[in-house]
Structures are given as C-alpha cells and as structure tokens.
Amino acid sequence: MIIDTNIILYTALDHPAFQQSCTDFLIRVEREEIQGFIPSVVLQEITHHFIISELMEKGYGKSVVDCIARYKRDPLIMNELSKTWIEIQRLFKINCTILYDNPEMVRDSIPISRNFQLFTKDAYIVSCAQFNKISHIASNDKDFSRVPWLSVWKPQSDNRGSPDS
C-alpha cells in the first residue's frame, strides 16, 4: 500500500482527529501486516514539512513564507534542527520500501494528471503506484478516489477505520 504524506504527518505532528488512526495503521506496517511503500516524492514533502514545522517551533517564522525567507538569508539555521532528522530516520525503520524515481513514472504522470484531474505530485504518486503494480493507497486526500483502479484507505477520526491487509 502506498503511504501518502498526510498519513505520516498526522502521526508525527499529533493531529487531533487522525493521529490515532494513522499511528495504528503505521504500527501495522511496521509489524509487516501491511506492506508499505513510500514514493520518494512523499519522503521529500514530509522532510519539507518537518523542516518548516521545526523552524516555526524554534521561532524562525510564523508562516511557511517567513521560514523560507529566513532560511534564504541564513541557511545555517538548518544546523539547529534535530527533531526533523530524528523523524526522518524513524521513517526508515518502519519496514517501508522507498520507491525511487524513474523517467517512465515521470512521463506517465502527465496524462494521469490530465485524465484524473490531479495535481502534479498526486499524479506522480499514482504513476508510481501504477508502475509498481500497487492498487492501494493510504491517504486522506479525496482526489485519489477519482482513479478507478486505486483503492483508498482513509483514516477515521473515531479510530474505527482499519485498512485491510
């Protein structure tokens, strides 16, 4: 099952409604009850979110724009980050396979974007799933439901949702 950015972020950033459901899901992946796959674009997006979140926490800005502007003026602030790198290392310990880019997936993401009305990143994730013959995704993004061959597991705020193996 492909794991989308929001599933990991809900767990790592303690989302009030979805944290428990997503944590339970990731525990099942860690126990190898569910085979998890993370496209490299998801890993990049997660890292970006963690960096911005930690920069805000450390007072380098109140918004994404503020943090990026501060980083552009002083890139050495990256040396002050610690939680970001710890969280990223945790991802590599949950028995997921990282799916790396290839030219075919990039090329195929263009018609996928057009055919299913998806933004670029989501189209690339669908292309990655298609290329790797994966037909399930864990995501809270309703846009993936427009892809007829892709089964979407969504986290439940009341913790009743559980993905099938």
Side-chain angles (χ1 to χ4, degrees):
M1 181 177 298
I2 297 280
I3 303 171
D4 194 16
T5 306
N6 53 55
I7 301 300
I8 296 165
L9 289 178
Y10 289 161
T11 295
L13 302 178
D14 295 324
H15 188 280
F18 300 117
Q19 185 270 339
Q20 189 61 55
S21 181
C22 292
T23 298
D24 292 346
F25 167 77
L26 291 173
I27 287 169
R28 292 188 66 200
V29 171
E30 189 170 17
R31 290 180 181 157
E32 297 182 0
E33 295 171 23
I34 298 170
Q35 190 173 12
F37 299 93
I38 301 175
S40 60
V41 69
V42 168
L43 189 60
Q44 294 163 12
E45 186 176 32
I46 290 166
T47 304
H48 178 81
H49 279 280
F50 285 163
I51 288 170
I52 296 299
S53 178
E54 190 170 356
L55 288 174
M56 284 181 179
E57 202 174 277
K58 291 185 176 291
Y60 287 111
K62 293 182 180 179
S63 70
V64 173
V65 173
D66 291 345
C67 289
I68 292 172
R70 178 65 190 269
Y71 161 74
K72 294 293 184 179
R73 288 191 312 273
D74 183 11
L76 293 178
I77 64 174
M78 292 286 262
N79 293 336
E80 297 179 32
L81 303 180
S82 59
K83 287 169 55 175
T84 294
W85 314 126
I86 291 167
E87 288 297 326
I88 293 302
Q89 288 305 312
R90 285 177 55 192
L91 282 179
F92 288 101
K93 295 178 181 174
I94 61 169
N95 295 319
C96 284
T97 301
I98 306 298
L99 302 174
Y100 293 98
D101 300 345
N102 75 46
E104 187 176 333
M105 291 186 310
V106 174
R107 183 195 67 226
D108 291 349
S109 69
I110 304 305
I112 287 171
S113 177
R114 185 174 52 243
N115 293 337
F116 300 110
Q117 303 78 47
L118 298 172
F119 280 121
T120 307
K121 181 191 71 81
D122 292 344
Y124 180 80
I125 291 170
V126 171
S127 180
C128 188
Q130 184 175 15
F131 181 83
N132 289 283
K133 298 177 179 29
I134 300 168
S135 60
H136 293 75
I137 186 168
S139 178
N140 203 26
D141 185 340
K142 66 181 180 180
D143 295 342
F144 289 114
S145 64
R146 291 195 294 270
V147 181
W149 55 266
L150 192 60
S151 174
V152 182
W153 174 81
K154 291 181 172 277
Q156 301 296 313
S157 60
D158 62 2
N159 198 25
R160 288 184 305 188
S162 180
D164 296 326
S165 299

